[in-house]
Amino acid sequence: MLLEQFEVGPYLNFTYIVAESEGGEGVVIDPSFQIEPVLEAIDRHGVKVRFILNTHSHPDHIAGNQDVRERTGAKVVAYRSAPLHQDVSVSDGEHVQSGRLRFQVVHTPGHTPDSVLYIFEGHVATGDTLFVGECGRTDLPGGDPSALYDSLLGRVAKLDDGLVVLPGHDYGTTPTSTIGREKRENYVLKPRTREEFLRFLQE
Ligand SMILES: [Fe+2]
């Protein structure tokens, strides 16, 4: 598998290219600002980009959609309620198949109502649901602390410890992590009751 992480723009966003191989079919996850290096890498690796996978609808995660779409013909994939141009609308538990790669959709509302994870080949793209050592904020429109509790403690914390975490921003001590390490070290994944979690988020 080919996996390349790009840190782009003023908010330290991560955009990812994932492909089955050099010259193979693949996807771009969260095309952000300053997309030119990503487009160059797509050409350099000869990746046939079939899909753009958006983890949620915030502008810094979709800013490059149109450029990647025009250059590659890729279809935009997002959670069905996401307010953006979608070619393929997905729901919890569905899969997106690109060549030999299969991306499983896990709906994790909280940061936004349309936040999803994409799980593939031992990796999980977490968008702004989970960062290395932190989680996404819930004080923007559509943010929901109680939903984030269910997503983090009910879903993320139950994922396989070995999965490599690919976050939506470079906000941690390292650019990637694992679910096991985040469960040990990330204070947002500490076991808490809903009440404790809501209090914790307000602090
Ligand atoms: Fe966001």
Side-chain angles (χ1 to χ4, degrees), residues 33-46:
F33 306 114
Q34 299 165 6
I35 202 68
E36 201 50 46
V38 178
L39 296 175
E40 281 167 19
I42 289 168
D43 288 347
R44 190 167 62 247
H45 295 300

Side-chain angles (χ1 to χ4, degrees), residues 149 153 187-188 190-203:
Y149 174 79
L153 280 302
Y187 66 163
V188 308
K190 202 178 119 179
R192 287 181 172 94
T193 65
R194 184 180 306 273
E195 291 66 34
E196 287 167 345
F197 183 81
L198 297 179
R199 248 197 326 273
F200 154 75
L201 277 193
Q202 280 170 0
E203 281 164 6

Side-chain angles (χ1 to χ4, degrees), residues 89-176:
S89 303
V90 290
S91 299
D92 186 61
E94 292 186 355
H95 293 85
V96 177
Q97 187 85 32
S98 174
R100 292 191 301 276
L101 296 178
R102 185 175 158 93
F103 297 83
Q104 185 196 341
V105 178
V106 180
H107 185 214
T108 53
H111 172 67
T112 61
D114 53 40
S115 290
V116 295
L117 317 177
Y118 295 101
I119 300 177
F120 61 96
E121 300 281 321
H123 294 72
V124 55
T126 55
D128 290 0
T129 297
L130 184 75
F131 303 129
V132 176
E134 194 43 273
C135 65
R137 53 201 284 190
T138 54
D139 59 338
L140 298 170
D144 182 341
S146 186
L148 187 63
Y149 174 79
D150 292 325
S151 293
L152 287 176
L153 280 302
R155 309 226 49 188
V156 172
K158 293 190 175 131
L159 297 176
D160 205 3
D161 279 358
L163 285 177
V164 174
V165 173
L166 305 174
H169 292 266
D170 189 11
Y171 289 164
T173 52
T174 55
T176 64

